[in-house]
Amino acid sequence: MTTKVNKTIMVNVPISTAYRQWTQFEEFPHFMGGVERVTRLSEDRLEWVAEIAGVHRRWEAKIVQQDMDRAVAWAAVEGAKNAGWVDFKEAGPSQTSIHLSLEYEPHGVLEFLGDKLHIVERQAESDLKKFKEYIEKQTPETGTAAASGTAATESTPVIDPVTHPFDQTNGLANIDGDSDGTADSDTLSAAERKRRDDNPPGYIPPPPSALP
């Protein structure tokens, strides 16, 4: 008697990313419970080693369908009788709906018992959740701050006009409007500086008409 399992999950990655990750069969042990190893034997052949319902099994499967960004299906050609396929549907710009279907034929007391307890069904649901966590963790995070670079953190400081009055002298005058220590020599002509140096403090210059 063949048992069928159907599960669906939404992942927050583009459909091409979800499809590409799922077809990396060798990485199945990262998120599929019970799968010990998947080895690609050829372009369309895979060797599986796993524990199903407490029973250690090995089988060879053939990829019977592979449509880019749409679906992938496989079926056992020897060993454990099972088959599976996955459909990918775009649910948004960065969201994909993944539907997993499995068919298997239990053998032996332990597998029949596991079938009655729905162990494989619960395992499939857990595997999809782990796949979601695995693939979303692999996708780098992006944000407006990263996209805008340093522009998001650098800004022009706001100047308070009350505490920082506009200064047309570019720093040569203090807040009271008086010249600073360097303004005097920097703004006098050569002749004016000579007269200042030749006359002692308190000297009263003659009227302009008396100057040579």
Side-chain angles (χ1 to χ4, degrees):
M1 179 178 176
T2 300
T3 298
K4 297 182 180 181
V5 173
N6 290 279
K7 295 293 178 180
T8 302
I9 198 168
M10 187 81 68
V11 295
N12 296 314
V13 297
I15 190 170
S16 59
T17 302
Y19 172 85
R20 185 169 58 250
Q21 181 61 65
W22 190 277
T23 52
Q24 300 294 318
F25 298 102
E26 296 88 341
E27 296 188 17
F28 275 14
H30 289 297
F31 53 84
M32 280 194 171
V35 177
E36 297 177 8
R37 185 175 69 254
V38 178
T39 305
R40 185 180 286 273
L41 303 176
S42 65
E43 186 175 342
D44 64 346
R45 296 274 176 153
L46 304 168
E47 180 189 56
W48 291 67
V49 178
E51 185 177 295
I52 302 175
V55 180
H56 194 263
R57 304 294 292 269
R58 176 207 165 275
W59 69 94
E60 187 175 321
K62 180 179 180 180
I63 300 173
V64 296
Q65 179 183 355
Q66 191 165 354
D67 297 333
M68 180 70 72
D69 295 346
R70 292 182 57 191
V72 60
W74 62 94
V77 294
E78 66 173 27
K81 292 184 178 180
N82 66 76
W85 58 95
V86 183
D87 292 320
F88 303 86
K89 292 184 179 179
E90 189 174 61
S94 296
Q95 283 190 318
T96 304
S97 175
I98 299 177
H99 180 77
L100 170 65
S101 297
L102 296 174
E103 287 189 7
Y104 70 99
E105 190 172 301
H107 292 276
V109 176
L110 288 179
E111 289 190 21
F112 276 109
L113 180 59
D115 185 49
K116 294 298 182 182
L117 296 176
H118 305 287
I119 290 178
V120 174
E121 182 177 358
R122 292 201 299 269
Q123 185 66 61
E125 184 175 358
S126 174
D127 290 346
L128 283 180
K129 291 179 179 179
K130 290 178 182 178
F131 177 77
K132 172 183 173 67
E133 180 181 352
Y134 181 77
I135 193 172
E136 289 179 358
K137 189 178 295 184
Q138 304 303 311
T139 305
E141 296 180 358
T142 58
T144 55
S148 60
T150 57
T153 58
E154 294 180 359
S155 59
T156 303
V158 178
I159 302 300
D160 185 352
V162 176
T163 59
H164 296 80
F166 179 62
D167 181 10
Q168 291 181 321
T169 67
N170 194 28
L172 295 179
N174 60 26
I175 196 170
D176 297 322
D178 298 328
S179 297
D180 64 9
T182 61
D184 186 30
S185 60
D186 288 345
T187 57
L188 293 177
S189 66
E192 290 172 325
R193 285 197 299 271
K194 184 178 184 304
R195 283 195 298 270
R196 181 200 61 190
D197 296 339
D198 291 342
N199 295 296
Y203 170 77
I204 301 176
S209 60
L211 293 175

